[in-house]
Amino acid sequence: MIVSARALTKQFGRVRAVDDLTFELPAGRVTGFLGPNGAGKTTTLRMLLGLVEPTAGEALIGDRRYVDLPKPRRAVGAVLEATGYHPGRRGRDHLRILAGLAGASRDRVDHVFDQVGLLDVADRRVGGYSLGMRQRLGLAAALLGDPEVLILDEPANGLDPEGIAWLRSLLRSLAGEGRTILVSSHVLSEVAQTVDHVVIINRGQLRFAGPLRALERGAVTVRTPRPEQLRANLVSRGYEATTSDASTLVVHGATAAQVGHVAATERIELHALTDSGASLEEAFLSLTSPDDRSAPAAITAEGLRA
Amino acid sequence: MTRLIVIEFIKLRTIRSTWLLLGIQQAVVFASLSVLVVVGADLRAPTAVRQFLSQAGFMSSLFSLVLGILAVAGEYRHKTITDTYLATPRRARVVAAKLVALTLTGAAFGVASALTASSVTAAAMSTRGISPDLSSVETWRSTAGVVAGNALYAAIGVSVGALVRNPTGAITAALLWITLAEGVTAGLLRDLSQWLPNASLLALAYSPGRMTTNAQLLPQWAGAVVLAAYAVVLALLAAATSVRRDVT
């Protein structure tokens, strides 16, 4: 099932928390929903889930708004940061209530407890759970309805490295079953190994939507006695190149082979040619830096259709 | 809808505060009637049973009010409201289910309070050699008042909780109204004061007393109608605002 936002906008008083956001989440993939704190991620997720009414635009699960889904919990499982528990209630009772609401069977409760590794503590009061256990409980609740779409807000919070690895493999296997999965985070490195697709927003606006690979922009460092001449030749071929000192050039959007080819064609002597591809983190930071007002980088249709 | 109501019952059953409130309610009914006995209420008066039960009805209804408030505001406090609305995005249905479940639970609290109150009354009377007539029409009307008062106050609590959404704020506001604001308002409104919520509750609880402002209490049936009207108006307000407000 495809999840989409169309010109989604939310105005809180004078603050435009989400601004004309359009993206699609492909099925069968884990999509990372990234942006710094305050970028509008949570508000967007809440609009997807019908908890916050959009000022303009719409958010669709398949072809319906969340509130129009006949059995919403069977279609969409969600764990939001603000998902809570009554501390005095036992874990099993908590999930039984949610199972009843989701239209899931009682067997499903034990099944998801087992799936998230909490079967041992199911009869304890949730107030006594650790943060990591509560995250797992939230995930168990989201899985109750065996949903096609899973929306998780900062699910790695409170998980130890082992828990993060476990979450990663769980999400990968769920995506492998054809489900649509959205994982929000303000740290790219946290989800880089889990997601194949990313939607990046900053200050409510879309900065990038597409495959994670497309985010990695090539960067090549070249040392040459004639940097100016090489730079002019590269720029005339559409690459972006800047001289960093008297003999060094940094080329963006090109591979070492492409730069080497240009140099050979123009018979320019090279002393070094290094692939120093900008890391995902750098690309992410440049897209989400506070002063970045440039046009969105790669909001490409090919990335969206997958 | 039935499923939603059943789940509201499970929610109530699986937290301790419900049972705690029920326990405290009985303790307060017991204590407040014991005080009546100690200060020398006339147990031989023809309205004695009625007086005792209406006192219990009034006191116990406050706990049902708190129960109703917590059933909604508690969900906001513990953020379980997110999952509740995710499962039932048509929020008016949630409000309706809570109203039904809490009205019935309030009635059950009322039954418990009526039992406690009649036990205390019967015990106090029998120690003085009076045989209480617990099956008279007056007694049954008083008992019905206790049950209905609890049921309606629980429903009103649901709406107050949905409107205020903060349990402390909602309970404080409700208690301020009961202890202070209604008295002040009654002083201003004079003859209209009998239509205020607590005055209506007293009427419904079949209190033999008078109001402090010298206005007559409404007849019991009218108290029931007025209190039900408050419950309905507040419920509509609660449903309308719950549907519209963003959950953040």
Side-chain angles (χ1 to χ4, degrees), chain B residues 83-94:
Chain B
D83 271 325
T84 298
Y85 285 158
L86 283 179
T88 315
R90 304 266 175 220
R91 298 182 198 165
R93 291 167 58 88
V94 174

Side-chain angles (χ1 to χ4, degrees), chain B residues 161-191:
Chain B
L163 288 166
V164 180
R165 308 209 285 186
N166 172 314
T168 317
I171 292 172
T172 309
L175 291 184
L176 270 180
W177 175 264
I178 290 162
T179 55
L180 213 65
E182 176 156 334
V184 174
T185 315
L188 295 172
L189 293 180
R190 295 248 151 238
D191 289 349

Side-chain angles (χ1 to χ4, degrees), chain A residues 289-306:
Chain A
S289 71
D291 48 48
D292 182 26
R293 287 190 171 276
S294 63
I299 308 156
T300 51
E302 44 80 24
L304 299 177
R305 276 185 217 115

Side-chain angles (χ1 to χ4, degrees), chain A residues 98-114:
Chain A
L98 295 180
L101 287 171
S105 71
R106 282 198 159 199
D107 297 343
R108 211 41 217 158
V109 171
D110 277 341
H111 179 81
V112 295
F113 262 127
D114 193 30

Side-chain angles (χ1 to χ4, degrees), chain A residues 54-124:
Chain A
T55 308
E58 57 182 0
L60 298 177
I61 312 290
D63 56 357
R64 295 171 196 238
R65 294 184 307 153
Y66 186 89
V67 294
D68 296 327
L69 293 170
K71 286 183 176 168
R73 283 306 223 179
R74 306 299 289 269
V76 183
V79 190
L80 298 179
E81 250 177 315
T83 305
Y85 320 90
H86 193 291
R89 199 173 269 141
R90 295 172 200 283
R92 192 184 298 279
D93 288 332
H94 176 71
L95 283 200
R96 273 194 186 148
I97 287 166
L98 295 180
L101 287 171
S105 71
R106 282 198 159 199
D107 297 343
R108 211 41 217 158
V109 171
D110 277 341
H111 179 81
V112 295
F113 262 127
D114 193 30
Q115 206 172 355
V116 303
L118 287 181
L119 207 47
D120 294 347
V121 295
D123 289 315
R124 278 178 27 196

Side-chain angles (χ1 to χ4, degrees), chain A residues 10 12 46 49-53 66-68 72-73 78 80 82-89 93-94 97-98 100-103 125 141, chain B residues 3-4 7-8 10-17 74 78-91 243-248:
Chain A
K10 180 67 187 186
F12 287 118
R46 291 184 164 273
L49 295 167
L51 293 169
V52 167
E53 183 74 15
Y66 186 89
V67 294
D68 296 327
R73 283 306 223 179
L80 298 179
T83 305
Y85 320 90
H86 193 291
R89 199 173 269 141
D93 288 332
H94 176 71
I97 287 166
L98 295 180
L101 287 171
R125 293 187 200 280
Chain B
R3 194 165 49 90
L4 284 183
I7 284 166
E8 288 303 326
I10 301 176
K11 285 183 186 174
L12 287 168
R13 184 169 59 72
T14 52
I15 54 175
R16 287 168 290 186
S17 52
H78 297 299
K79 294 178 172 174
T80 50
I81 197 74
T82 307
D83 271 325
T84 298
Y85 285 158
L86 283 179
T88 315
R90 304 266 175 220
R91 298 182 198 165
V243 167
R244 241 174 256 130
R245 278 178 183 162
D246 289 339
V247 181
T248 49

